[in-house]
Amino acid sequence: MKRVIETSHAIALAVKLARVKVIPMYPITPQTHIVERLAEFINNGTLDAKMIHVESEHSAISALQGALLSNVRAFTATSSQGLALMFEILQIISGMRLPAVMVIANRALSAPINIWNDHSDAFAVRDQGWMQIFAETAEEALDSVLMAYKLAESKEVQIPIMVNIDGYSLSHVYEPVDIPSQTLVDSFLPKFKLEDYLDINNPKTFGPIGFPDSYMYFKEAQHKAMKNAEKRIKEINREFKKKFKRSYGNGLVEEYKIEDAETVFVCLGSICGTAREAVDQLRVKGKKAGLLKLRYIRPWPSKSIRKALNKAEKIAVFDRAFSFGSEAPLYTELKATLQDKQINSYVVGLGGRDVTIEHFKKAYRMCSKNKNGWLY
Amino acid sequence: MKRVIETSHAIALAVKLARVKVIPMYPITPQTHIVERLAEFINNGTLDAKMIHVESEHSAISALQGALLSNVRAFTATSSQGLALMFEILQIISGMRLPAVMVIANRALSAPINIWNDHSDAFAVRDQGWMQIFAETAEEALDSVLMAYKLAESKEVQIPIMVNIDGYSLSHVYEPVDIPSQTLVDSFLPKFKLEDYLDINNPKTFGPIGFPDSYMYFKEAQHKAMKNAEKRIKEINREFKKKFKRSYGNGLVEEYKIEDAETVFVCLGSICGTAREAVDQLRVKGKKAGLLKLRYIRPWPSKSIRKALNKAEKIAVFDRAFSFGSEAPLYTELKATLQDKQINSYVVGLGGRDVTIEHFKKAYRMCSKNKNGWLY
Amino acid sequence: MGLPREEYIASGHRACAGCGEILTIRHVLKASGKNTIVVNATGCAEVVTTPYPQTAWKIPWVHSAFENIAAVASGIDKGLECRGIRDKINLLAIGGDGASFDIGFGSLSGAIERGHKFTYIATDNEAYMNTGIQRSGATPLFANTTTSPAGKKIHGKIEPKKPLPLIVAAHGVSYVATISIADLPDLYAKVKKALKAEVVSFLHAFCPCVPGWKYPSSKTIEIAKKATATGVFPLYEIENGILKFTRKPAKLEPVNNYLKMQGRFKHLSQSEIRQIQNYVKERYNFLLSVENSKCFDTLFK
Amino acid sequence: MGLPREEYIASGHRACAGCGEILTIRHVLKASGKNTIVVNATGCAEVVTTPYPQTAWKIPWVHSAFENIAAVASGIDKGLECRGIRDKINLLAIGGDGASFDIGFGSLSGAIERGHKFTYIATDNEAYMNTGIQRSGATPLFANTTTSPAGKKIHGKIEPKKPLPLIVAAHGVSYVATISIADLPDLYAKVKKALKAEVVSFLHAFCPCVPGWKYPSSKTIEIAKKATATGVFPLYEIENGILKFTRKPAKLEPVNNYLKMQGRFKHLSQSEIRQIQNYVKERYNFLLSVENSKCFDTLFK
Amino acid sequence: MIKEIVIYGRGGQGAVTSSYVLAKAFFYEGFYSQAFPSFGVERTGAPVEAYVRFSKKPINLRQHVYKADYAIVLDSSLIEAANVKEKLKRNASVFINSAKKRKYFGKDIKEITTDITSISLKIIGKPFVNISILGLFATTKLVTMESLRKAIYEMLPENLAKLNYAAAMEIYKNVVG
Amino acid sequence: MIKEIVIYGRGGQGAVTSSYVLAKAFFYEGFYSQAFPSFGVERTGAPVEAYVRFSKKPINLRQHVYKADYAIVLDSSLIEAANVKEKLKRNASVFINSAKKRKYFGKDIKEITTDITSISLKIIGKPFVNISILGLFATTKLVTMESLRKAIYEMLPENLAKLNYAAAMEIYKNVVG
Amino acid sequence: MNKKMKITKGAVIKEPGSTVKYKTGSWRTFRPVIDYEKCIRCGLCWSQCPDMAIEKKGNKFVINYDYCKGCGICAENCPVKAIKMVREEK
Amino acid sequence: MNKKMKITKGAVIKEPGSTVKYKTGSWRTFRPVIDYEKCIRCGLCWSQCPDMAIEKKGNKFVINYDYCKGCGICAENCPVKAIKMVREEK
Ligand SMILES: Cc1ncc(C[n+]2csc(CCOP(=O)(O)OP(=O)(O)O)c2C)c(N)n1
Ligand SMILES: Cc1ncc(C[n+]2csc(CCOP(=O)(O)OP(=O)(O)O)c2C)c(N)n1
Ligand code: SF4
Ligand code: SF4
Ligand code: SF4
Ligand code: SF4
Ligand code: SF4
Ligand code: SF4
Ligand SMILES: [Mg+2]
Ligand SMILES: [Mg+2]
């Protein structure tokens, strides 16, 4: 059924359709609409789940971990400072290989405090062993949550995952969303069942001390499992298409008018929409622009990127996060992936600065002169 | 005066020589020896400072911030989970441009819990707007703390800084250290005085809300200030040499037998010592190896790196941290800096796995075949 | 009224018309005076007063994060001590109920244990208002918030309000009190006492919130009055372990006089109102029962 | 002795010879039985029992971090509830004094407020032992630790011990008690009561530590006995707001009988011993004075 | 072609809800649509904005609205306070709630003014104008009153939907006749 | 050439302190030196190790010690429990605290055994062996008793330093004669 | 794309009370008007205004409409009902 | 460089009580020895051992020297002083 709803609402519906059982939650702008909607479902009796009104995000992520360890599907959402406060527990969850799913309504980091959208929260945690999707539309946000559960819980993966949506710029947008039926979702998403959990009939120990003789192997295994995920992401994307009649590129990346493009924009999340518009307008003027939308930054889809950008002459990367004293992080990774290409960096939209068609056009011009810049 | 002391002791002496006033502290292995030594100084009356026995690292870094805002020099130290728990406050401090100095006795991140050395803690916070030094020896650790205060407090910089020392592998090592006199240090390090602080006679507001119209400018300013630091680091290195009769490369990087080297090892921290040994042994066998020791990862010394590795044919980067689903972080940054070079990645010493001469020799061989690897 | 004339917070701030929290802070600052430093947690008060490049504050003020004001204040406390000017300065840590009852309570408890000197003010509007009225540990029984909605199955918040002043008093501090903008003389007297304490002192301030509690903006003071008149928010202080009411209504009004003024309670059934009445009465009676006896050990003197 | 035979923690763990903390946990588990899940904070108990690939635990056990056991337990509590097996399982959160008094207290306080059901056990060895004997909020007055050293100018810890059981009781929970390995029947009875509570129950366990307190490993039990005999660690419980001593020595021994057994107190001057004696007496008298009267409001029943 | 609408109101007045209702109505009308608020920290009483886009083709664009084709003003005092003029395209249409019989703009702007407050007070019993003013907008015939009705019922609890729709309809009829 | 020493003890016995004292002593002797513990989580009673490197040239090397030139064993029961043999170079020298008059190693290892505990008990009054056994090591003449004395006084509080040094000296004299 | 903005280092605001530059009077939909005939100069309105929008001028309390948001607290609580709330219209 | 180690996913340990593979008996420097002549089978030693190193076999309490660390608690508290601590020597 297609309805105009808020992206946050679409996500809440995805969580409901996934039959989530435990939802630890802590309020933070602009994530809050998601959990508010879930609280409504629960208090109205339309979702049979428990909400845990934790006293901090640190406890939200910890309670999420506890819920998973007790063998139920769980969910939480946060933003910015909340994600930052969870930091320590993120790698504890990934190190323990728990298939957590969390939505991040991306927002800038303090100081100064700023409640608007950029990607510094998501990028700040990119080494912590979580997979990370970025969704462009409300519908993709809903779909991504469903796919995220399936992916994270796949035996060969078992890695937690964050679904990123742009705070406000996507989270608070109403637009048409095709909401799948419960039956369809049930046919896609298996019942939750962990191999290892806290079971009085089969007592196991979780979170031991790993000495230097073992620790590094666990870390290599985490990395390998995440690399395995690339294949699984593609499979799930195909299966999703079969069942739900829609899909997203090859699952990892999505190409737009890229075949003959000379200059390719690379970006993440909701600004991809504006980028498409810019590509169209540039093409009207005879400029061969294209767009590579990255759906995942972890696993970093290096093969898909190389394939997609194989023929591109110039690449303009748009970063909405920054590594002070170094460079924009997407730019760095892209250069490292394509050591032989001209790549230019554009830092845009930090702290909710609007990203417009003009930004893409300007970047297009600068890129043709091999110039980088912060675009305001 | 030259004495055989523990690196942690050397750091505590540096803090004392810097006339630090407030020391919030929270215990965590392997950092603890530093603050224990400081507690001894204070309780014996040889250091006139206040220790704040905070209840968590989150409060340690917050109290550090408070102390600085009240216009006194301050210090804290942590490791691993402690640094992770501080995460949110790190960018709050850098965003507010407070010249904090903190020592990290580097240690692996949970899970599984592991108290031994690697660099995943330091690398996890590399985007948070703090400068980061890595010290190789006890003496360099002491010197780095002194230089760190001077650098962070420089008007044109005003950026917080972390001094990284390898947990256990350096923190718990006794070795000869030349301890400078108080007079000498006083001539090097000016009295502490902030331009902006909490002053009832000149009331100012700190940490306001930055709207989308201003936020991005603050972030660009942070980045620029950190880039300014490069010049300042070199100056301070030169001044240090004049006063203390020793210095470290150009301040940002240190070269060892690099002029004619065909294969150059790039690494950080205490394993540089073992790398030197390996270079010597390889050279005995007629293999032209060299070493580039990075002292700073933030600011990322791209110019110095390019200059130093200009003639290298092969580069072997040693990472002691990893970005799951992507690559080793130093490797990524190095590739992005030197897009035209053959660079190979060796992941070593995670979670206290010993890094030996054999590792360097093996990497040397693998590098000659353009092969990457995790070396156990 | 004999209140100091000087203001330490300026007009032009962005709080809702009728905000009880800003009014509370206005008076706390007037009581504390010029030589005051404020550490303020994230929350309404912080957001509405500091839209860069403007600030409403006329005294030195800092906001770091949501959960750490007690720790930041700890650093300032010791810094000022080192600078030899500690005695000249009133140091206030101001946090909302979310900051104080929930996310920042660990930090507050730690600061108390270490024996710091500052006054902590919990401005309690009984929910996370800055983020849009979510339930906190201070939200009262059955109140409707966006995360404890009055739904078909569950009718608002189902847990009792966390008894924060008593918990803080149990730490053994020398001064804890409740304050309300409905009683300014009481408020001023308590702020002054709190500032004299040599360790952490604690004030629990009742702060009606227009959109959060859903009442016409003109009713802010009246609601606060009713809270005390019905026993929902008794005015007392705990000095050196001894609890004393500073105002005691001759007879408590029925709690519904308070509830019915607010949209957040409009979903209540009669039985729920009765439950609240009993709940309030029990709490009130407990306080009465321990009044004047030493019911809290004092560790700090 | 009538104690259950089954052990839930195995030999071969790496605790110091004579460890009071492991012995405490051993008995708590025996009292709790087979159907127990443990959430354990970072600290000695965790480190010495789980050197991968070995574990000493025979029941399901998880360690996440240092500061979050109450939150992890909250998630498990609700997860078990959803699975319909909550009633079958005893859920224990076990943390050292560092975990419980300091870094994890915010998380515990939050879990209490939400009305979760689990038993929290603070194994108090009065310092951060796993990291090498640093001062915690539970370290007693004047004790020598590596961060509160007995120096020339400052003689050990200068702040009093945080009164955690009273603070937890002030939250309004239904069961709080102190336990000691020196009195196993008392310990077993209290663990069983704690497990029956419908909300968070809290046990404060006295755990002598050989290297931390600096005494010969054989003296673990004797020191625990002396702690109770001198009034340093009284055995009591607070049930529905009413405090009762479960053991009351006819006459308290001088506190020095306890202090002199331990290296951490060997630097004390006579005057400092007297101060400790007064301090202990005051605390003890306070407890006596509130015994049997309802001194804590109970919000959860 | 994408068309853009700005809605001006005050914190607490429901301008954001208006935008959502409108987006839903456009969707029922066969358009693609998008609605979003001005992402501010405004408190009760402060001027706020909300936006709607609609188009016959899927809408990818996600930048802010800079120059709108239509504006809806819930309170005429905002015209100055929020500088409505600045955000309007030439020849834009503006729908204003005002009891005053005056012109607010120059002649390059089309303006329709109605005393929405009075009508709302009469029909809803409260001065809720955010939904009823959409009846005024519906006079453009861009959305039918039927689509609007469906949207209102989807967004509001039934009792409120009924009253608000009735008010919108009254306003619509007043103008269309 | 860098030489390496391993010291074996039990948690609480002070093996780590021995290594520090030795490093200081080597430094006074004109060597560069380095000392560090085995970075474990061992508790009181568990076998622990500590290491010393010394060299006439600055020591860059920071890897663990895998094959030592010398071993010092604070408690003979550790020889088996800690598998001392495995970490020794061929022809290494081992200094053992034992009351037993027996050989612990084959002939490729040089071993010197003394009842350090008894001597320490006698002189220090406590079975502290970690410093006194260094007197036995000093019989190698790699460090003089004078350097050792300075190192001991630097590391321990004066009263303990005095007693420990006396014990070390007694042991040294017993062997050297 | 917008114009550059001048900023301070670390976002420090050095002008205390500078929100006075922002006139919240425009938020008002109702305007309090004091009837000085009735007013007994008790100052209650002054003390209860969350916007410091009532000033004591001489012995008179005067509303500063630049800042008054029209909350109505002053009118509600005036002991002699000397304040009326009047609808703003533009 | 060391040999590879087999690991479980997420470091889960599936063998409860497996520390028994590690014999802490080697930590001991003193050995408790029970004099069964004196022993009254009260079980106090069993209940007070932090290492579960005393087992009840039949109605006898037997020390398991594989695990006994020699702390001396049992000897210290035996009501009839039936346990002696004897120095270990190797
Ligand atoms: C770590 C963290 N989590 C969440 C937030 C989001 N947040 C900011 S203010 C706020 C609510 C504040 O509530 P309260 O303390 O009661 O103050 P009020 O706004 O009600 O005055 C929240 C949840 C944050 N800034 N930081
Ligand atoms: C966030 C964080 N900070 C610090 C540490 C280091 N740490 C681990 S255990 C421990 C001490 C534990 O003390 P306590 O809770 O009293 O338990 P004990 O070891 O004394 O039994 C510390 C400080 C950590 N693991 N995580
Ligand atoms: S939401 Fe409540 S607390 Fe926040 S500004 Fe408005 S009235 Fe004040
Ligand atoms: S240090 Fe103390 S608590 Fe830790 S294992 Fe040893 S005796 Fe037990
Ligand atoms: S409250 Fe009323 S009487 Fe008092 S000063 Fe104000 S207007 Fe005058
Ligand atoms: S209406 Fe409100 S804002 Fe205006 S003067 Fe009165 S109290 Fe102040
Ligand atoms: S304590 Fe003594 S008497 Fe009791 S069983 Fe043990 S050895 Fe026998
Ligand atoms: S000596 Fe200690 S470890 Fe050994 S049996 Fe007795 S109590 Fe147990
Ligand atoms: Mg609040
Ligand atoms: Mg402890």
Side-chain angles (χ1 to χ4, degrees), chain D residues 27-70:
Chain D
H27 287 293
V28 167
L29 288 183
K30 286 166 85 82
S32 177
K34 178 182 174 305
N35 295 340
T36 299
I37 291 175
V38 170
V39 189
N40 199 174
T42 317
C44 269
E46 163 260 328
V47 165
V48 301
T49 54
T50 62
Y52 187 88
Q54 294 173 4
T55 179
W57 303 85
K58 300 189 190 178
I59 37 129
W61 179 96
V62 60
H63 155 251
S64 166
F66 186 26
E67 64 278 14
N68 67 349
I69 45 171

Side-chain angles (χ1 to χ4, degrees), chain A residues 212, chain B residues 349 352-356 359 376, chain F residues 62-66, chain H residues 1-2:
Chain B
R353 197 97 185 179
D354 196 23
V355 182
T356 65
H359 285 90
Y376 282 91
Chain F
R62 289 187 186 278
Q63 67 188 32
H64 294 178
V65 169
Y66 291 91
Chain H
M1 278 170 274
N2 300 295

